[in-house]
Amino acid sequence: MDILLLGPPGAGKGTQGALLSQALGSPKFSTGDLLRDAVKQGTPLGVEARAVMEAGHLVSDEIILGVIRDELAKPVSAHGVIFDGVVRTIPQAEGVAEVLQAMGRQIDTVLFFDVSDEHLLRRLAARRDVESRADDDPAAVVTRLKAYREQTAPVIAWYAAHGGLTRIDAVGTVAEVSDRAMRALARA
Ligand code: AMP
């Protein structure tokens, strides 16, 4: 089963994705984690993406689609993947659909983790104190939320129109939100 997690930065996609991955035994694939690793290791991908990420902008569709193709070609991804924050623009949604279609697959379910701006800002500020991520700095957060509204929010309507999108109220404890996500999957 291929499951896509959507939602603004700070919505809890990473945490919930890890729990779903454990519960379902499917690998979780996060372009954010993969890019952060590339930056840490100083690979050509990391060198190219670093400044864009630190400023809070989106990395180009071309780079992201290359990363997605590489990931889906791995044997570990052969039986379905939990896509965590992997699709952030309409061209990426179209590109993922195309790559999966060539493998006889499709995104089976989209879970949209919905959180108010007020909660997001509070969560991102708390995460900055714990993880010291450059892109959780206040100026980068403003840019990331703007990128989300302008480029990623339309992806929600795209998937809703293509079927299989469930909105999850992502305000609550980790266990409460996880329970909602598992119930939504059971209904899907
Ligand atoms: P995340 O931790 O998932 O919020 O990702 C951190 C940063 O990586 C984002 O702010 C973007 O700069 C970049 N990034 C991750 N995934 C994508 C994507 N699918 N499209 C464009 N940029 C991305």
Side-chain angles (χ1 to χ4, degrees), residues 31-32 36 53 57 59 64 85-86 88 92 133 135 144:
T31 36
R36 265 186 296 281
M53 287 175 73
H57 295 293
V59 173
I64 295 294
V86 170
R88 301 195 190 202
Q92 291 178 15
R133 274 176 54 168
D135 63 351
R144 288 168 73 202

Side-chain angles (χ1 to χ4, degrees), residues 1-2 27-29 68 70-81 83 100 103 105:
M1 198 174 183
D2 286 292
K28 177 169 93 86
F29 166 39
I68 291 170
D70 288 350
E71 193 64 27
L72 290 177
K74 293 181 184 167
V76 69
S77 303
H79 303 293
V81 172
F83 294 83
L100 285 176
M103 305 168 92
R105 287 158 57 180

Side-chain angles (χ1 to χ4, degrees), residues 126-145:
R127 188 169 73 182
R128 177 161 48 104
D129 293 340
V130 177
E131 296 183 19
S132 310
R133 274 176 54 168
D135 63 351
D136 280 343
D137 129 303
V141 163
V142 170
T143 309
R144 288 168 73 202
L145 289 178

Side-chain angles (χ1 to χ4, degrees), residues 7-10 13-14 30-36 49-61 64-65 68 84-89 92 124 127 133 135-136 140 144 147 151-152:
K13 299 184 297 296
S30 152
T31 36
D33 287 348
L34 192 146
L35 289 167
R36 265 186 296 281
R50 180 176 186 155
V52 175
M53 287 175 73
E54 287 186 353
H57 295 293
L58 291 185
V59 173
S60 75
D61 290 338
I64 295 294
L65 286 169
I68 291 170
D84 159 17
V86 170
V87 174
R88 301 195 190 202
T89 66
Q92 291 178 15
L124 289 169
R127 188 169 73 182
R133 274 176 54 168
D135 63 351
D136 280 343
R144 288 168 73 202
Q151 292 167 275
T152 308

